[in-house]
Amino acid sequence: MKRHGSVVERAVEILVRAGHVVTAAPTTGPGAAGLIAREKIDRGTDLILAAGGDGTINEVVQGMARSVVPLGILPVGTANVLANELGIGVNLAKAAAGIAGLVPKRIAIGRLTASEGSRYFLMMAGVGLDAHIVYNLNLPLKRRLGKVAYWIGGFSLLGRRLEEFEVRVDGDSHTCSFALVSRVRNYGGDLEIASGADLLDDQFEVVLFEGPSSSRYLKYFLGVAFKRLNGMEGVRAMPARRIILPGVKDRRIYIQVDGEYAGRLPATVEIEADALTLLV
């Protein structure tokens, strides 16, 4: 878990009062959460609770994939997409108090293979537009403003031409400027893009947004905001288990997973079935 002061300490107290034996293990830097989770599992821990945002949870999953130990979520982050998806909410104390009422479910996760190597993800992979925003995100601004920093990054692209790239889904080739490969409906904590996604399904919902014009995304955003994205011109949605993303010559097309930069094209995204036990 990350260092979030008294609020995490309060959550630990709630779990202890409920009869749980809890050992806190603060992270020390990027990538540490996965190593800590793997070490705890190797030592016989029977439950991992991740206190942090979606990025921290993603790190923890790197150390838990293919194990049978359940993962529980204690939301302390910028967007808390997974907590919203599971109906846990963003109140850490309430989430801790409700742990006993959750049940373990065996689920599939995604696996990205790209320029930075192979990486698991629990929620989504984004290619193109949103990954460009993540890659260029002003981190001090994110620490001060939270999700607003992402909106500022997005609106800064208005008027600019977006890079397009090829996406191969089940043998069919498509061209787009933003591809979302998702296991969850929720996006960014506020929006619903992949309305057909389900964490309990062994497949992705792939949503492709066409066109190099950034101004076109104002229309797409309104479609998302008013839940009218399905059937909108320039938007394609489809289920898939494996997606191939060839590289673009002399162009850098970035990838993000669960809100964190994860490399650039070429890449492959695949479903890893029966890979993680999650408290839901």
Side-chain angles (χ1 to χ4, degrees), residues 45-246:
T45 293
D46 58 7
L47 172 65
I48 300 287
L49 298 176
D54 296 317
T56 299
I57 295 167
N58 179 275
E59 288 188 12
V60 171
V61 168
Q62 308 311 308
M64 295 189 66
R66 297 297 174 191
S67 77
V68 297
V69 175
L71 169 64
I73 307 304
L74 297 175
V76 188
T78 303
N80 297 301
V81 170
L82 184 61
N84 280 308
E85 187 77 10
L86 296 175
I88 295 172
V90 297
N91 185 294
L92 179 61
K94 288 183 179 179
I99 288 292
L102 302 180
V103 295
K105 291 286 186 180
R106 197 70 178 165
I107 66 168
I109 58 178
R111 180 164 63 89
L112 167 74
T113 304
S115 62
E116 306 284 328
S118 183
R119 182 171 179 174
Y120 294 109
F121 63 93
L122 189 51
M123 292 167 286
M124 69 188 73
V127 186
L129 175 64
D130 74 336
H132 179 91
I133 294 170
V134 168
Y135 181 81
N136 291 286
L137 189 65
N138 183 318
L139 295 180
L141 191 65
K142 178 188 174 184
R143 285 191 287 270
R144 291 201 310 271
L145 301 179
K147 286 186 289 186
V148 174
Y150 291 93
W151 289 106
I152 292 173
F155 282 112
S156 71
L157 296 177
L158 284 177
R160 295 179 55 179
R161 181 179 177 84
L162 305 176
E163 297 287 355
E164 294 184 287
F165 52 91
E166 181 186 3
V167 182
R168 298 174 188 169
V169 182
D170 295 334
D172 294 327
S173 180
H174 309 272
T175 299
C176 65
S177 51
F178 172 32
L180 181 66
V181 182
S182 190
R183 300 276 295 124
V184 295
R185 298 182 301 275
N186 188 275
Y187 182 89
D190 305 305
L191 306 171
E192 183 178 291
I193 293 181
S195 59
D198 190 332
L199 269 172
L200 301 183
D201 286 344
D202 287 348
Q203 63 183 9
F204 301 112
E205 176 83 353
V206 180
V207 186
L208 308 177
F209 295 82
E210 300 175 353
S213 171
S214 56
S215 59
R216 190 172 188 174
Y217 279 81
L218 292 174
K219 180 189 76 171
Y220 294 154
F221 173 75
L222 291 174
V224 172
F226 290 99
K227 299 186 184 300
R228 295 177 180 243
L229 193 62
N230 290 340
M232 178 175 284
E233 183 182 358
V235 181
R236 296 172 180 264
M238 63 206 78
R241 291 176 58 88
R242 188 169 190 264
I243 301 94
I244 298 174
L245 298 141

